[in-house]
Amino acid sequence: MRDYAVIGDGRTAALVARDGSVDWLGLPDLDSPAVFGAVLDAAVGGRFTLAPSVPYQSERRYLPGTNVLETTFRTSTGTVRVTDALTLHDETTLAPMRELLRRVDGLAGSVPLRWSVQPRFGYGTRRTRIVRRATVPVATAGHDALAVCAWDAGDPTCAGDAVSGHFELAGGRCALLAMPFAHQEPLVLPTRSDCEARLEATSAAWRNWAQDRLYTGRWHQAVMRSLLALKLLVHAPSGAVAAAVTASLPEEIGGERNWDYRFSWVRDSAFTLAAFLRLGCPAEAHAYFWWLMHASQRTHPRLNVLYRLDGGHRTPEKTLPWEGYRGSRPVRTGNAAARQVQLDTYGELMQTAWQYAHAMGGLDRDVARRLAELADLVCTVWQEPDAGIWEVRSPPRHFTQSKMMCWVALDRAADLAERGMIPSRHLERWHAARDEITGFIEGRCFSPERNSYVRAADGDDLDAAVLLGHLYGYGGDGHRMRATISALDRHLRHGPYVDRYSGEDGLSGGEGAFLACSFWLAESLARAGDLPRAIALMDELTGLANDVGLYSEETDPATGDFLGNLPQGLSHLALISAACAITAAGKDTVR
């Protein structure tokens, strides 16, 4: 999985392998069925290959300040460069609904290349029919259509359910492949000049966006690449932010922990809004907050764990008859975790609203009323067991982090009420419930033997998620929190890697180290005053990205292989948060 880069256009995104194969692409949107899914089944998933037909070595990068990918192939006879982008376009001009462009530039000598487009509509469940329109091959299935336009890239050949070609490119020459797509609308067949103009405009648009972002601290390159990756997860029509581009990439090779992450988790909301506000993305912050308010209104006063990118709340989990990544079954789409009770979501949503209110100077009256009602609900539900932030499929428990985030929910609600930003008629009740939660956590969720806050009440397993209580300002015993940081550092950390928790979770097999937890530990060390160790850990962590600066959800500590879905928004969000906090702590130390 380390071999994948990602490109996108604010509507959907594609995985591009180091060998030039596009192995994942949902169309028309990020959470739509994949038309290319070879990452999950090489035989039936579909892909778009493009590479030299002779042995080669490859290297790649993103064009600086962009999400446009550049792969250089070196052979014994010459060198070519492939530039890949999902293009951005002006809504005022006629352009394809979605468009994948692949430009090949000859740099030296002469290189033979082959390409093949193998679309599989509806996860391969719908029959693909290929016809020619004005000599251009067009693949169709129902209301979907995609074309394969080739200029100086050989004559396209249609065979079965694939369109292929081969050509030889000399230094100084340029070939272009375009794959325009349409869904329930006419298919636009572009001209070469229009495609080339959109490719240049796409690069310029990404550079213009990136240059206006605000970050001057340590690990600048890693922070900016993380922000660009996060921007690829923003669904522009709604403002929602997906957790990842992909579905069902395994947390353990051959295991069953394979989930669809193409939805927006409330769990990620506070980190997301903080990143947008800190790094100078007010438009994204505003759009995301209002999407979140719209989506959560549909289930008010209860919160769903996750919502669809269009704000819907039904995400039924289904299984595809696919092989899975390296034989990891089942291959799931949809996510049944949406039906779970996860009490931490109330704290994250209230933290998000608190940040937004302070940044914008207030809240809409209806939003303010709903937040007060949410706080009223927390006064009751905090006493319930739940599935916890890690969405375990074992029986509900009284997870410590869930209780801490309920404390955060009431603390932030009280602050907003005291500032006149939300109704305050139940303020005393919120204070009383917050104190009750403190008593529960301090009385039942700290182990003297472990000298640490534990995973769940009356237990002794550890959980890195309790670090979020520290990061969000849980006001319990500060000495205990510092001891907890030390305990987690000793028992869950292996080099730069940190496990999520110890103990069972209702699923068979294991998983890799959860990268966000490593960044949470680095940030916690800095906030606890151990700046040298925080910096040392961050230096290690920023070296764990793949060659184009991306992170997955997890990593196998033994091999360094990526595990889970990618690029994983929470990993990149945790990196941004840690970098900002450590940079700020360093400035405070200097003062």
Side-chain angles (χ1 to χ4, degrees):
M1 270 185 259
R2 292 187 70 93
D3 284 342
Y4 284 109
V6 64
I7 56 176
D9 62 0
R11 272 76 175 171
T12 189
L15 292 188
V16 185
R18 188 189 295 270
D19 64 4
S21 181
V22 181
D23 286 349
W24 181 263
L25 175 61
L27 286 171
D29 296 308
L30 183 69
D31 55 355
S32 299
V35 70
F36 299 141
V39 67
L40 293 179
D41 194 313
V44 302
R47 58 179 15 136
F48 185 164
T49 62
L50 170 60
S53 54
V54 295
Y56 61 83
Q57 293 182 327
S58 65
E59 60 189 47
R60 60 191 177 165
R61 64 165 189 159
Y62 285 108
L63 294 180
T66 80
N67 280 313
V68 175
L69 183 67
E70 186 181 270
T71 305
T72 301
F73 294 99
R74 303 183 189 280
T75 76
S76 61
T77 62
T79 302
V80 296
R81 181 176 60 218
V82 176
T83 302
D84 287 318
L86 282 162
T87 57
L88 311 173
H89 59 84
D90 187 334
E91 297 292 343
T92 63
T93 60
L94 182 63
M97 180 188 199
R98 305 284 181 268
E99 181 181 54
L100 171 62
L101 289 187
R102 316 197 73 182
R103 187 180 71 198
V104 190
D105 291 290
L107 302 183
S110 183
V111 179
L113 297 105
R114 290 188 178 276
W115 58 268
S116 179
V117 180
Q118 305 154 31
R120 302 290 184 266
F121 295 97
Y123 302 115
T125 61
R126 293 155 59 195
R127 179 175 173 269
T128 300
R129 179 169 173 261
I130 297 179
V131 297
R132 287 185 181 266
R133 297 183 188 172
T135 75
V136 176
V138 176
T140 64
H143 297 295
D144 293 332
L146 64 82
V148 182
C149 305
W151 295 281
D152 294 325
D155 294 325
T157 300
C158 303
D161 51 9
V163 181
S164 306
H166 62 90
F167 62 104
E168 186 147 346
L169 194 67
R173 301 297 299 274
C174 176
L176 185 65
L177 290 161
M179 195 191 80
F181 174 85
H183 173 70
Q184 295 184 335
E185 64 178 40
L187 178 65
V188 176
L189 298 180
T191 66
R192 179 170 188 167
S193 60
D194 284 345
C195 288
E196 290 173 336
R198 277 194 293 273
L199 183 57
E200 294 305 316
T202 296
S203 297
W206 281 118
R207 286 193 299 270
N208 290 338
W209 183 84
Q211 71 184 10
D212 291 335
R213 308 289 66 89
L214 306 174
Y215 184 75
T216 58
R218 288 181 76 128
W219 309 291
H220 180 270
Q221 185 173 350
V223 169
M224 289 307 300
R225 179 46 56 194
S226 289
L227 186 60
L228 281 160
L230 182 62
K231 181 67 171 172
L232 286 175
L233 298 175
V234 175
H235 186 240
S238 67
V241 181
V245 165
T246 55
S248 227
L249 289 175
E251 296 175 17
E252 179 186 39
I253 300 301
E256 66 170 322
R257 299 164 187 257
N258 317 317
W259 317 111
D260 189 345
Y261 271 19
R262 298 170 297 163
F263 307 105
S264 194
W265 265 255
V266 178
R267 169 201 67 194
D268 301 347
S269 62
F271 278 116
T272 301
L273 195 78
F276 286 151
L277 292 174
R278 285 169 175 164
L279 302 182
C281 305
E284 288 80 2
H286 187 75
Y288 175 63
F289 178 76
W290 283 104
W291 171 84
L292 186 58
M293 293 301 101
H294 166 74
S296 60
Q297 185 175 22
R298 296 188 173 193
T299 56
H300 182 75
R302 294 275 178 170
L303 286 177
N304 260 35
V305 173
L306 55 99
Y307 295 89
R308 295 199 312 264
L309 302 184
D310 64 3
H313 57 91
R314 291 184 175 87
T315 58
E317 196 168 280
K318 300 177 181 178
T319 300
L320 298 180
W322 282 10
E323 181 68 20
Y325 180 84
R326 293 173 57 185
S328 303
R329 296 179 177 176
V331 173
R332 296 183 176 95
T333 64
N335 200 309
R339 299 195 303 268
Q340 290 185 340
V341 174
Q342 294 180 25
L343 298 179
D344 66 290
T345 57
Y346 296 96
E348 275 114 15
L349 183 73
M350 198 70 76
Q351 173 74 11
T352 301
W354 180 81
Q355 292 178 118
Y356 184 85
H358 279 268
M360 303 301 174
L363 291 165
D364 173 85
R365 179 178 296 180
D366 182 62
V367 168
R369 174 188 57 79
R370 286 169 47 205
L371 291 173
E373 292 170 354
L374 211 66
D376 290 341
L377 179 66
V378 172
C379 290
T380 301
V381 299
W382 78 263
Q383 301 176 65
E384 299 175 5
D386 73 329
I389 188 175
W390 302 129
E391 301 173 356
V392 298
R393 302 207 172 186
S394 51
R397 299 176 66 185
H398 290 286
F399 288 103
T400 303
Q401 187 264 351
S402 295
K403 308 305 182 189
M404 288 179 171
M405 293 309 295
C406 286
W407 184 98
V408 169
L410 295 173
D411 184 74
R412 300 304 183 265
D415 181 78
L416 291 171
E418 288 160 358
R419 294 174 184 272
M421 293 183 178
I422 67 173
S424 60
R425 60 184 177 276
H426 295 157
L427 180 58
E428 290 185 8
R429 183 187 179 200
W430 302 344
H431 279 247
R434 183 186 62 185
D435 293 343
E436 290 177 18
I437 295 172
T438 302
F440 182 94
I441 293 171
E442 299 304 318
R444 296 182 58 186
C445 299
F446 185 86
S447 166
E449 292 76 18
R450 286 282 205 172
N451 198 22
S452 175
Y453 290 110
V454 289
R455 185 179 174 206
D458 308 319
D460 61 2
D461 292 326
L462 298 180
D463 186 352
V466 300
L467 293 172
L468 294 176
H470 179 52
L471 300 185
Y472 291 140
Y474 164 68
D477 188 316
H479 295 293
R480 285 183 167 188
M481 188 57 78
R482 286 190 289 275
T484 298
I485 294 169
S486 296
L488 297 175
D489 193 20
R490 290 193 308 274
H491 298 295
L492 294 186
R493 179 179 172 184
H494 317 279
Y497 300 108
V498 176
D499 296 332
R500 287 197 283 188
Y501 48 81
S502 59
E504 66 86 28
D505 56 12
L507 292 166
S508 63
E511 62 178 12
F514 199 78
L515 287 166
C517 294
S518 296
F519 290 112
W520 295 345
L521 179 58
E523 181 172 351
S524 294
L525 288 168
R527 291 181 181 272
D530 197 344
L531 193 58
R533 296 191 68 224
I535 292 172
L537 179 53
M538 273 296 287
D539 284 341
E540 286 190 85
L541 293 173
T542 53
L544 299 180
N546 72 358
D547 60 311
V548 289
L550 299 181
Y551 292 85
S552 61
E553 180 185 13
E554 300 180 8
T555 300
D556 183 339
T559 64
D561 289 345
F562 280 1
L563 296 169
N565 290 296
L566 84 151
Q568 178 76 6
L570 189 57
S571 299
H572 287 279
L573 287 165
L575 183 155
I576 291 170
S577 183
C580 290
I582 295 170
T583 296
K587 291 177 180 177
D588 291 341
T589 301
V590 171
R591 293 195 191 103

